[in-house]
Amino acid sequence: WREMAMLEMLSCIGTAVTKVGEVQWQRVAVTGMGPAGLMAIQALKSRGPDEITAIDVDPARCEMAESLGADRAVRPGTKEWDALKPDEFTIVVDCSGVPAAIEGVLEKTSGRLIIFSVPDGPFSITQADRRKGNTVEYSGSPLGRPGPYARELLISGAVNVKPFLSVEIPIEQFDQGIELLRSRKAIK
């Protein structure tokens, strides 16, 4: 039942996954391997993309993404990142909220970018991105009833949230929990 604590966030991820639509034959990437990104990797993988790539600066988060189903993980600023083609991805879901991550992944995308995150600042869409036909969409608020879809993802095992439930503390220690998240000593 501890896993059901993640149902609300997974419902929101379900909205983004629904917004993405069909992913068969697509090269999908997810930026930001926090809990939302790790759930998005799994939910999108269950829909059968040609390939799914995790993108994050943290090697441990990249490793976790691969253990949860990402076909590969790439860290910006590495040789692997630099070797990516301008049309490497056809669909990207941003879960990072980092403007530089959004701008960086657009350079490697020829298709759609769905922003699930709340960007923590402005980001630019270059003329080159526009010429490639890239579109930027927001996942928006959950529409309809995403809860049953999220529940099915959990119950079926398509999404495993157990690795994110790293610390359990009483509500009286809420401030300590926030500090654990900020210092990246806890995932959720």
Side-chain angles (χ1 to χ4, degrees), residues 13-26 28 39-52 69 91 93 112 149-150 153 156 158-159:
I13 287 295
T15 299
V17 169
T18 302
K19 176 85 171 185
V20 167
E22 186 59 51
V23 297
Q24 281 190 317
W25 316 116
Q26 301 295 320
V28 179
M39 284 189 268
I41 285 282
Q42 296 175 79
L44 288 161
K45 178 78 172 190
S46 75
R47 296 173 71 109
D50 193 39
E51 180 179 61
I52 189 153
I91 298 174
V93 176
R112 298 169 61 210
Y149 174 57
L153 287 170
S156 71
V159 174

Side-chain angles (χ1 to χ4, degrees), residues 81 85-87 102-109 129 132 134:
W81 177 263
K85 300 177 295 218
D87 64 348
I102 294 168
E103 291 170 352
V105 79
L106 273 170
E107 293 174 7
K108 311 294 185 183
T109 303
D129 292 325
K132 286 194 294 184
N134 286 346

Side-chain angles (χ1 to χ4, degrees), residues 7-171:
L7 191 60
E8 188 275 332
M9 181 183 281
L10 187 53
S11 292
C12 294
I13 287 295
T15 299
V17 169
T18 302
K19 176 85 171 185
V20 167
E22 186 59 51
V23 297
Q24 281 190 317
W25 316 116
Q26 301 295 320
R27 296 177 315 279
V28 179
V30 178
T31 61
M33 292 298 106
L38 292 166
M39 284 189 268
I41 285 282
Q42 296 175 79
L44 288 161
K45 178 78 172 190
S46 75
R47 296 173 71 109
D50 193 39
E51 180 179 61
I52 189 153
T53 302
I55 300 170
D56 199 283
V57 296
D58 184 336
R61 294 292 175 97
C62 287
E63 189 175 302
M64 182 178 279
E66 289 178 317
S67 75
L68 293 170
D71 295 308
R72 65 180 173 163
V74 182
R75 293 184 3 248
T78 64
K79 285 187 249 178
E80 293 82 9
W81 177 263
D82 293 340
L84 297 175
K85 300 177 295 218
D87 64 348
E88 190 76 25
F89 310 117
T90 55
I91 298 174
V92 177
V93 176
D94 175 67
C95 295
S96 74
V98 177
I102 294 168
E103 291 170 352
V105 79
L106 273 170
E107 293 174 7
K108 311 294 185 183
T109 303
S110 183
R112 298 169 61 210
L113 169 65
I114 290 84
I115 297 181
F116 168 77
S117 66
V118 177
D120 64 8
F123 60 91
S124 299
I125 303 168
T126 67
Q127 195 69 325
D129 292 325
R130 291 186 187 115
R131 278 195 295 274
K132 286 194 294 184
N134 286 346
T135 62
V136 177
E137 307 164 45
Y138 290 85
S139 63
S141 300
L143 301 172
R145 297 175 38 90
Y149 174 57
R151 187 179 65 235
E152 177 57 30
L153 287 170
L154 275 178
I155 291 171
S156 71
V159 174
N160 175 14
V161 298
K162 288 179 185 176
F164 319 152
L165 303 173
S166 53
V167 178
E168 191 173 324
I169 59 173
I171 193 71

